[in-house]
Amino acid sequence: MARRSRHRLLLLLLRYLVVALGYHKAYGFSAPKDHQVVTAIEYQEVILACKSPKKTISSRLEWKKLGRSVSFVYYQQALQGDFKDRAEMIDFSIRIKNVTRTDAGKYRCEVSAPSEQGQNLEEDTVTLEVLVAPAVPTCEVPSSALSGTVVELRCQDKEGNPPPEYTWFKDGIPLSENTKLGSQSTNSSYTVNTKSGTLQFNTVSKLDSGEYSCEARNSVGHRRCPGKRMQVDDLNISGIIAAVVVVALVISVCGLGVCYAQRKGYFSKETSFQKSSSASKATTISENDFKHTKSFII
């Protein structure tokens, strides 16, 4: 009994495999091919190749752009969307004449054709990477600074792909960097970070005054921001001391004047005068009240 059950189980497995293979042949599923990565520079042309058999009359071709939502690029023997005006078909491949950064992404070509085993379907996936030159970077340079303080200049570009590296210039001359320190280079007065685009003066001095500009550069191109002047001035300690002395003298003179007035009795005379005037006012009020009361009784 045990042997018969084993044989039945084996027969069932064999039947399942036969059915699965027949299904595979009937619908023509093919194994995925190697993934392609194509790199192009923005505003130049690129070809997205579909590695599949030669095109026949009965072949059906579709190109799709994958992502959060799948969109047709080539469907029903016609290019779709904005590809109509800037692309053309070369057999199964697409030639984009003017590639833009929005074209970057993953594409898939699907070729189906009838065969003896049924409908044969083949797929090929291509990833398009678009290289973009930097735009004019945004440069932040303070117009003035005090000697001895920490000052940081910033430079940034948001469009370049791959991300650019930055070089700072003072009066048109590039600031030196120490390649042994990688992305950061330091000398006695400043630190340059070529990745983040910062130029930091640890203790800025009057010698650091000048016109500063920054250049963003990657493998595609480079752009530089307009120069901006930074003026570094020493802290005017003598002027601060003189101002403090003047304020102290004014306070002292005012204090001496108050003391002198008290000694001369100016404040006491004024007080006695106020007391006498208030007393006379009180006497006048009392006499008026008495006259009013007397007239009321009569």
Side-chain angles (χ1 to χ4, degrees):
M1 293 294 292
R3 290 182 178 178
R4 289 181 180 178
S5 60
R6 289 178 182 176
H7 285 301
R8 288 179 181 177
L9 181 61
L10 289 174
L11 288 173
L12 289 172
L13 290 173
L14 288 173
R15 287 179 182 177
Y16 176 77
L17 289 173
V18 170
V19 171
L21 290 173
Y23 182 83
H24 181 276
K25 290 181 179 179
Y27 287 89
F29 290 101
S30 60
K33 298 182 180 181
D34 294 337
H35 186 76
Q36 301 180 63
V37 179
V38 178
T39 303
I41 298 176
E42 189 175 32
Y43 306 126
Q44 296 186 8
E45 71 173 43
V46 65
I47 295 178
L48 305 181
C50 184
K51 297 180 180 179
S52 60
K54 292 183 179 180
K55 188 175 182 181
T56 61
I57 299 175
S58 57
S59 298
R60 179 183 175 184
L61 172 66
E62 291 181 0
W63 271 94
K64 300 175 182 177
K65 185 178 182 181
L66 309 180
R68 293 182 179 178
S69 60
V70 179
S71 59
F72 281 102
V73 176
Y74 183 82
Y75 181 66
Q76 294 184 346
Q77 300 181 353
L79 289 163
Q80 305 295 315
D82 65 339
F83 287 99
K84 293 179 182 179
D85 302 324
R86 57 189 185 90
E88 64 180 1
M89 298 301 300
I90 303 176
D91 291 333
F92 289 158
S93 302
I94 298 179
R95 175 175 173 260
I96 304 175
K97 302 175 184 178
N98 186 20
V99 67
T100 64
R101 66 192 70 183
T102 58
D103 296 330
K106 186 178 290 185
Y107 295 80
R108 184 175 67 205
C109 72
E110 301 174 359
V111 181
S112 60
S115 64
E116 295 179 356
Q117 293 80 16
Q119 194 73 11
N120 185 33
L121 175 65
E122 293 193 11
E123 297 180 353
D124 197 11
T125 305
V126 182
T127 296
L128 174 61
E129 294 182 354
V130 180
L131 305 181
V132 182
V136 177
T138 302
C139 299
E140 298 180 11
V141 180
S143 58
S144 61
L146 289 177
S147 179
T149 59
V150 178
V151 178
E152 185 176 82
L153 284 62
R154 298 182 180 90
C155 180
Q156 188 177 21
D157 164 72
K158 296 182 179 180
E159 296 188 16
N161 182 40
E165 293 191 352
Y166 302 93
T167 303
W168 277 97
F169 295 80
K170 178 189 175 185
D171 297 329
I173 301 174
L175 296 177
S176 60
E177 60 178 339
N178 187 351
T179 56
K180 294 181 180 180
L181 297 178
S183 63
Q184 290 189 346
S185 60
T186 307
N187 68 5
S188 59
S189 61
Y190 64 84
T191 302
V192 176
N193 190 317
T194 59
K195 299 296 183 183
S196 65
T198 58
L199 168 61
Q200 180 174 311
F201 293 91
N202 303 319
T203 52
V204 71
S205 66
K206 292 186 70 175
L207 296 176
D208 296 319
S209 297
E211 185 178 84
Y212 289 85
S213 60
C214 172
E215 181 182 87
R217 178 185 294 269
N218 63 8
S219 58
V220 185
H222 58 90
R223 298 293 295 273
R224 187 187 299 189
C225 68
K228 297 180 181 179
R229 180 167 182 79
M230 181 179 70
Q231 182 64 40
V232 181
D233 296 317
D234 290 332
L235 190 63
N236 193 354
I237 299 176
S238 59
I240 295 175
I241 294 174
V244 171
V245 170
V246 169
V247 172
L249 287 174
V250 170
I251 294 173
S252 300
V253 169
C254 291
L256 291 174
V258 171
C259 293
Y260 179 79
Q262 287 180 346
R263 289 181 180 180
K264 291 295 183 178
Y266 293 115
F267 293 109
S268 58
K269 288 181 180 180
E270 183 179 358
T271 303
S272 60
F273 174 76
Q274 290 177 353
K275 287 182 179 180
S276 60
S277 61
S278 60
S280 62
K281 286 181 181 180
T283 303
T284 305
I285 292 171
S286 300
E287 289 178 354
N288 292 334
D289 291 340
F290 177 74
K291 290 178 180 179
H292 180 70
T293 304
K294 185 177 180 181
S295 62
F296 178 75
I297 294 172
I298 296 172

